[in-house]
Amino acid sequence: MLKSKTFVKKTRSGGVMKVVREHYLRDDIWCGSEVCTECKQESTVLQKDACMESSLCSYPHYLVPDTNVVLHQIDILEDPVICNVIILQTVLQEVRHRSAPVYKRLKDIIHEKEKHFYTFTNEHHRDTFIEREPGESANDRNDRAIRVAVKWYTQHLKTFESDTDGLKVVLLTNDQGNKQKAQDNGLLVYKCEEYVKSLIANPELVDRLALSSDDKNEITSSKVLFPEHLPLSRIQTGIKSGSFLQGTFRASRDNYLEATVFVQGEGEDSTEVLIQGLQNLNRAVHQDVVAVQLLPRSEWVAPSSVVLQDEGTGKDDEDAEEEEGNLRTAAAEAARKPTGKVVGVIKRNWRPFCGMLNVSQIKESTRHLFTPADRRIPRIRIETRQASTLAGQRIMVAIDGWPKDSRYPNGHFVRSLGGAGEKDTEEEVLLLEHDVPHQAFSQAVLSFLPKVPWAITPEDMMKREDLRPLTVCSVDPPGCTDIDDALHCRELENGNLEVGVHIADVSHFIRPGNALDKEAASRGTTVYLCGKRIDMVPELLSSNLCSLRSNVDRLAFSCIWEINHKAEILKTRFTKSVINSKASLTYAEAQMRIDDTNKNDDITKSLRGLNKLAKILKRQRIEKGALTLSSLEVRFHMDSETHDPIDLQTKELMETNSMVEEFMLLANISVAQKIYDEFPECALLRKHPAPPPSNYDILIKAAKSKEVEVHTDSAKALADSLDAAKVDGFPYFNTLLRILATRCMMQAVYFCSGMDSDFHHYGLASPIYTHFTSPIRRYADIIVHRLLAVAIGADTTYPDLMDKHKQSALCNNLNYRHKMSQYAQRASVAFHTQLFFKSRGILNEEGFILFVRKNAIIVLIPKFGLEGTVFFDSKDKVSPNIVFEEEGPTLSVEQHKFHIFDKVKVTISLDDSNIQHQKIRMALIEPVIPGVSVPAPDTETPAKKQKLDR
């Protein structure tokens, strides 16, 4: 049966075009129920005994949720209790248009066999399709379509009543009008909340209900606390006219009454608008896209140096107003910034947040405040009947809304993650909070992996260069299983050297556009935590088929140079190849081979040749102005059974680290030039912008305090200054200066060559750069491999590879994932450091001052690569006399003056008074300042102390 709609529309050129839309209707669409014998079904999804114990529905039943129930109560639908649900095509289409994240979650549920969710194509069924009536809104037509489909199901299943034990169909809707019309039609209909509350065996499911607008009104006060948000139409007009600015809201970690809105301009022209005070913040949440209105210049303020945490003890508005007054007083003297207020929210970027419950002091109360782990997120008010169970657990909560008469947003409980402080729980929180995709790879993704046992085929060999006879070896950190790169060096007959960098050919296994490729593109990078790795690609590839392990044939992408003994490149070529690595070495093993004069085998000769060239290449790079910066990386030694850290050391770098790095840099630069020459519009490159001069203020001041001059006009000037920076009797000074210089740098980013004009890499002093050498753990390298393969005729292209806009959007995701991966790694190191100090009690260590603040010094402990803050004012005792001088910067405490890089001695301990935000506490031992320094404690380990007690 064919329905067709005919209408005319105006074309761009001003003509008129007749459009005919055909809509096919069928009578052979299955109902999906096991009880049905009428539909000629090849398979069924909905069960015959669809029993969910409900006080409202004592009979077997199928559920049909309307669109709003799916959009707002997806947490309920995901619960294992909810089964045998009919998702109508009308609902699926509406959800797809209104929320991509909910649509994805719904599709995932539909694919879970044990959930028995069935999609019924009601818009193409002859008996359930309906036309929109004159004057009927699209929304009302869809509501009617849902009711018609429920009625059809009810009558259809009635035919088999004798076999079904009274099987019924229940419509779930929160729309009062829709519910009334359904009842008038004789349908079984309940509000979602009514139905969930009726589930006998699962009372805790009520906590996962998102609040309806009626509930929100109950919770709020009668007093309006915030200005009304403007409607979207007014916002759009205001942005067009320039009276409002659109930007991303970024809340402050240190001050709950302050935020900035980042307004993206043309090219480099971006601005930040400062927002201060509850009213001006106006219910915006971190990462929301908001509209701001600039305040008159006379009302502009400066960022506050006051640290304010919202303690969530039900502070009244007077308290907040007083704190806002303090903010303004503190900021009055300093440089003012453009200041504004939020007038509306364009796009909410809410996600489920991890944190802990602050159980209400009121007995029997079901209303509690939830404190997110991320200090930039406001507390959330939730309703739960399991508060006593959830106390002390890490939980996830979603925001439902933030009414203008509520101090905090309202939300609902999503799920528990486990006991706070437990290693597995904290790791899960860390991954969720940094948005690191860490779920197991789906069957769809795994289906694109090569079948095992895998072997290189004769066809592969025909298209590749056979480099298996070469003495190739890999050099990596200990325990590395995802070996991306291998090297070789040999002397040629003409006296020159041939050097090869061989990179795992991951793009051979991951083909463009399939599920495996999409998953890798979404993950963007492998994330390395302490003692754990979250792979970008499945383990079969990362640790086996792509990993360039020794003594097995592997597919590679090779970059081969002819180089003379002065490390000048004479020829460069790229080829797909087959290699057989002769050794998988650690940096230490490779170093021992180079240093052992008794060894003279091919592998050792190759390593010595590489090392000799690497030293020349490094010297050449440094002469051009490349920076050698410093950051303290730590390595934990784990207990083999408990996997707790038992020792903590800073990583030592060897010559071989530098050797591998030099050839990786050379390969990346060579490939960058090649792909840019071939594809000037769509090469994926990496740049490192030069920092603005103001970034260096702290570095210049720090050097000046030790009478050392630092020049920052160019990377070369900075590199030369750092090399010359020495202080007699203070050998660690140069390392400290380099650590500080690292903090002044900008973030390196991926970009598409056709969308940018500045390609320069500041840190490497290279005019062009990319990432080619780590395709197992970085998706950017896979794209670069594909571009290079097309450039040398080794593979075919595809549309997205040549689309600079798609390439640019991909770069944005890769930059985001890369940044989040770094933050997750730091958080993992911080957590393991806390575990380490938890079992150590109190330690005394020497350190150096890195920064001087108004009321504190920030101290670096080189032995542990650890930073901590020593505060000089405290709530529970009289503060000493403190004077801060911006010029130095210096901090005078009583009679003692602290400068950057001063040596101090501190006690280190773990402060776990706040289980959610545990931190390393430092207290000053030396220099001795009466009333400030603490006596050096007896640093007995807990185990030793127990013996003494016994």
Side-chain angles (χ1 to χ4, degrees), residues 524-525 665 668-669 671-673 675-676 683-689 746-753 756 758-773 778 780-781 784 811 814-819 822:
T525 178
L665 293 175
N668 287 334
I669 292 167
V671 170
Q673 196 58 60
I675 61 172
Y676 177 62
L684 192 153
L685 302 175
R686 188 165 176 80
K687 68 171 180 176
H688 182 214
M746 306 290 283
Q747 186 84 35
V749 289
Y750 297 111
F751 69 100
C752 174
S753 60
D756 211 321
D758 172 26
F759 293 8
H760 192 75
H761 197 294
Y762 180 80
L764 297 172
S766 174
I768 194 164
Y769 193 65
T770 193
H771 272 162
F772 164 75
T773 54
R778 289 188 306 231
D781 303 51
V784 170
C811 287
L814 296 180
N815 290 329
Y816 169 71
R817 292 290 188 211
H818 199 75
K819 185 171 70 179
Q822 286 178 320

Side-chain angles (χ1 to χ4, degrees), residues 585 589-605 607-608:
L585 306 172
E589 287 166 351
Q591 192 67 54
M592 277 154 62
R593 274 178 179 265
I594 291 168
D595 298 341
D596 186 348
T597 50
N598 298 321
K599 279 199 183 292
N600 225 3
D601 55 276
D602 287 350
I603 294 170
T604 307
K605 276 193 217 162
L607 287 168
R608 284 187 189 133

Side-chain angles (χ1 to χ4, degrees), residues 351-365:
R351 58 178 173 85
F353 300 104
C354 302
M356 293 182 75
L357 203 62
N358 288 17
V359 180
S360 169
Q361 300 303 305
I362 304 164
K363 216 177 172 194
E364 305 299 316
S365 173

Side-chain angles (χ1 to χ4, degrees), residues 105-120:
R105 286 168 73 181
L106 183 59
K107 291 290 280 183
D108 288 345
I109 303 172
I110 291 166
H111 289 137
E112 281 180 51
K113 283 197 169 73
E114 59 277 11
K115 290 280 286 169
H116 301 283
F117 270 53
Y118 179 66
T119 311
F120 179 63

